[in-house]
Amino acid sequence: MKIAVLTGAGISAESGIPTFRGKDGLWNKYDPMDLATPEAFQRNPKLVWQWYDWRRKLIADAKPNKAHFILADLERKYKDLWIITQNIDGLHQRAGSLKVIELHGNIWTVKCLECGVRYREEKTPLKEIPPRCRNCGGLVRPAVVWFGEPLPKEALEKSYSCTVSAEVFIVVGTSAQVYPAAELPFVAKSRGAKIIEINPEETPITPYTDISIRDRASVGMEKLIKILD
Ligand code: NAD
Ligand code: ZN
């Protein structure tokens, strides 16, 4: 059985990582939506890096939760299971998932605006903010996709190919408001996939689901195992 799983910030909520649009999503007096843009970075790289430094520490201290682990188990059971994640926290990989497509990049990778080099930078907290390129000393930025930026081509293509061939398409913990990720369940549906959603709240996808599990991710994933069996 071919399965694709689209995950969003909600799957990491039980690991203590705040979602964007939830009530705990704010940081100080700033709106993350105003920080995760190339314009914000141009205006004030120090402020944006302070926010990322805070999130990196939070993610470093967090552990994958039951929902991440169940997905890793399912990947071993169903050899054709791919995770398409909007998360940048790397918790799927830490739970043991191997087939993970990161649509929005990864918080542990930086890229240099001067020389273009990309490398992993795992120090937390960072020694210097904003950090400087280890190759040329230029300004580096988090290698994540910000609002208004295109998605990495290869990841996007791979996620479409998994989506169109999926027989079951599972959506976990995403508000389905950020495109093109939010479009994937509809693409899957138009190709005849069964759509299963796990989310405590209703989303724009809910009316199109075959099964809607209105629970938090850990509880919902346990119910999902029984449905797939
Ligand atoms: P979002 O914040 O817009 O929506 C979160 C969704 O999760 C909501 O629909 C909410 O009802 C649901 N939710 C809350 N608690 C849940 C739980 N315990 N179990 C299951 N679902 C739960 O997040 P999104 O849709 O992923 O938004 C997209 C953007 O947010 C992406 O660009 C992503 O990179 C970014 N983001 C990522 C992280 C992370 O890496 N962990 C954290 C915050 C935001
Ligand atoms: Zn450089």
Side-chain angles (χ1 to χ4, degrees):
M1 184 159 58
K2 292 193 172 181
I3 304 177
V5 188
L6 174 66
T7 67
I11 198 167
S12 296
E14 289 169 78
S15 295
I17 301 171
T19 59
F20 260 175
R21 289 171 189 80
K23 58 182 181 329
D24 304 321
L26 289 178
W27 176 76
N28 283 351
K29 58 187 190 321
Y30 299 102
D31 184 342
M33 306 276 272
D34 288 338
L35 289 166
T37 68
E39 294 76 25
F41 190 73
Q42 231 169 10
R43 245 186 342 257
N44 195 341
K46 188 170 175 189
L47 176 67
V48 172
W49 265 115
Q50 280 170 335
W51 183 54
Y52 275 91
D53 197 39
W54 171 76
R55 290 181 70 197
R56 284 159 57 99
K57 174 83 171 80
L58 199 79
I59 288 167
D61 291 344
K63 291 186 183 63
N65 66 58
K66 196 184 244 173
H68 296 106
F69 286 118
I70 290 176
L71 273 181
D73 284 344
L74 287 176
E75 180 183 318
R76 286 183 281 270
K77 183 167 175 189
Y78 300 97
K79 298 291 173 216
D80 242 322
L81 183 149
W82 280 85
I83 296 172
I84 304 163
T85 190
Q86 300 166 83
N87 296 345
I88 57 174
D89 57 29
L91 290 185
H92 286 302
Q93 293 91 330
R94 277 171 60 195
S97 288
L98 299 173
K99 299 211 280 271
V100 183
I101 303 162
E102 292 183 317
L103 273 183
H104 293 165
N106 188 290
I107 201 164
W108 303 109
T109 307
V110 298
K111 68 179 175 204
C112 177
L113 297 179
E114 297 294 325
C115 74
V117 73
R118 297 165 79 95
Y119 58 93
R120 271 181 90 79
E121 169 54 87
E122 294 183 353
K123 243 181 266 101
T124 166
L126 289 159
K127 275 211 199 92
E128 185 191 7
I129 291 182
R132 295 278 155 189
C133 174
R134 69 175 180 207
N135 184 40
C136 76
L139 183 63
V140 296
R141 59 163 277 180
V144 299
V145 177
W146 284 330
F147 291 100
E149 293 187 314
L151 270 57
K153 192 166 172 278
E154 207 177 308
L156 193 58
E157 281 172 2
K158 180 71 190 158
S159 61
Y160 273 101
S161 74
C162 293
T163 299
V164 296
S165 62
E167 295 158 79
V168 177
F169 193 94
I170 300 159
V171 193
V172 190
T174 177
S175 61
Q177 290 182 22
V178 181
Y179 279 77
E183 181 192 54
L184 297 174
F186 299 104
V187 173
K189 176 105 185 158
S190 74
R191 296 297 189 110
K194 291 262 174 291
I195 313 293
I196 305 175
E197 180 181 56
I198 301 174
N199 198 313
E201 309 282 338
E202 193 168 318
T203 77
I205 293 165
T206 313
Y208 301 90
T209 56
D210 294 277
I211 301 173
S212 163
I213 304 175
R214 218 49 96 64
D215 275 304
R216 53 185 216 270
S218 62
V219 177
M221 289 300 305
E222 291 206 55
K223 291 187 181 167
L224 178 74
I225 302 176
K226 297 201 179 79
I227 291 168
L228 292 178
D229 265 347

